[in-house]
Amino acid sequence: MNRVTNMSGKQSVTEQDTSTGRAIEHDSFAIIDREAGPHAYDPAQWSIVRRMIHASADFELNGLTAFHPEAVPAGLAALRQGGRPLVADVGMILAGLSCARLARFGLTPYQFIADADVIAQAQAQGTTRAVQAMRKALGLGLLDGAIIGVGNAPTALLEVLRLIATEGVRPALVIGMPVGFVSAAESKGLLVEVSPVPWITVQGRKGGSTLVVAAIHALLALAAETGEPLS
């Protein structure tokens, strides 16, 4: 792990291995801080939003990104405790995550969207693969205490919300950012009404696996700063 210094003078963890890479990341964050303008996020929340902007060059995320009041503390507590499942709706999220960072905190990644039994159940029950993938994760005992990332399938997020409401499932954190035009905004609108489980989301149609990956990496970087104040 290496570090870059942001405009506030605080150092942040980075996995850039070269001085050139660290300089580019430092300059990118400085540009984002300068051009983003005012925001209502606390420093820890902003480090997540800023990395999402860095991943997408979309400054509308400053304002569209919403946090449950306990989202960051709950996410960091889960990471620092270690050994948690990380359940994603699609493989794209897992492909984008740093294996070294996951290993540091003992996170085990899972996604079941392409499993043969998931496909068969979706066909038999007239649902989606995303729904059945989350049901499979439930059956394997992977959802309670997990970090759940949804960046593609609104039906996956809706199923997680159903399981929270009807089955008493209690993930440590839901990062719900499905992108799209059918049920994406609606599923996230329901997520922000959930109080028992902490969440991070992007309101409206915007979202995607890239943003989920960025949010997770930002949380992993914060968790690596053990003992350092978040504000």
Side-chain angles (χ1 to χ4, degrees), residues 102-139:
L102 296 182
R104 175 171 183 174
F105 293 98
L107 268 68
T108 304
Y110 299 91
Q111 65 85 23
F112 303 110
I113 195 76
D115 289 6
D117 57 334
V118 165
I119 296 170
Q121 285 291 97
Q123 292 171 338
Q125 298 182 19
T127 60
T128 67
R129 291 184 298 155
V131 167
Q132 295 299 331
M134 289 302 167
R135 291 179 184 174
K136 180 171 181 175
L138 174 70

Side-chain angles (χ1 to χ4, degrees), residues 45-128:
Q45 292 172 342
W46 177 244
S47 71
I48 296 170
V49 176
R50 181 175 61 181
R51 189 166 288 276
M52 290 165 60
I53 294 172
H54 180 258
S56 63
D58 186 351
F59 281 92
E60 289 189 2
L61 295 171
N62 176 14
L64 288 180
T65 308
F67 295 83
H68 183 286
E70 297 301 317
V72 176
L76 294 180
L79 291 175
R80 288 169 176 164
Q81 180 177 346
R84 301 299 182 101
L86 194 162
V87 180
D89 64 329
V90 291
M92 189 180 299
I93 290 175
L94 303 191
L97 291 171
S98 164
C99 294
R101 286 192 183 184
L102 296 182
R104 175 171 183 174
F105 293 98
L107 268 68
T108 304
Y110 299 91
Q111 65 85 23
F112 303 110
I113 195 76
D115 289 6
D117 57 334
V118 165
I119 296 170
Q121 285 291 97
Q123 292 171 338
Q125 298 182 19
T127 60
T128 67

Side-chain angles (χ1 to χ4, degrees), residues 4 14 16-28:
V4 297
T14 174
Q16 297 297 329
D17 293 323
T18 67
S19 59
T20 300
R22 291 191 289 275
I24 291 171
E25 185 169 272
H26 174 274
D27 290 346
S28 295

